[in-house]
Amino acid sequence: MEVEPIIDAIQHAKEMSDLSALLREWRDVSGLSHLVYHAVDVPISDRPNPVLLLTYDQTWVKRYFEQDYFSLDPVVLSGSKGFVP
């Protein structure tokens, strides 16, 4: 699957539900088990981590937050240095 059309679709999404649907579709088409879209800096929002969309089970998401795995996750740490999805 080409990444450019996905990035374009992300940029043109109007609602969070559009992004959630896109994430699930990309997961299904790619054959991956799970995907995450995490935007840490959204100019129109003053909240930290304003966009976090996941395809993981809610039980795992709850544990991830409770254990503060954000501070250890190598994907999160690497992604925080990037500029594009």
Side-chain angles (χ1 to χ4, degrees), residues 4-76:
E4 289 80 13
I6 297 295
I7 293 173
D8 186 58
I10 290 169
Q11 291 172 336
H12 289 92
K14 303 260 187 253
E15 305 285 333
M16 292 296 283
S17 60
D18 297 338
L19 289 173
S20 291
L22 177 63
L23 194 68
R24 287 188 305 275
E25 179 184 337
W26 193 15
R27 176 202 60 197
D28 295 344
V29 169
S30 68
L32 296 171
S33 297
H34 296 286
L35 285 173
V36 173
Y37 180 78
H38 185 201
V40 295
D41 184 21
V42 176
I44 61 172
S45 177
D46 59 352
R47 293 177 22 214
N49 303 307
V51 180
L52 180 59
L53 303 170
L54 317 130
T55 64
Y56 287 96
D57 178 87
Q58 286 300 336
T59 303
W60 170 245
V61 173
K62 182 179 181 216
R63 177 174 173 75
Y64 191 93
F65 277 93
E66 288 174 348
Q67 298 296 317
D68 190 30
Y69 289 151
F70 276 109
S71 63
L72 305 171
D73 190 328
V75 174
V76 172

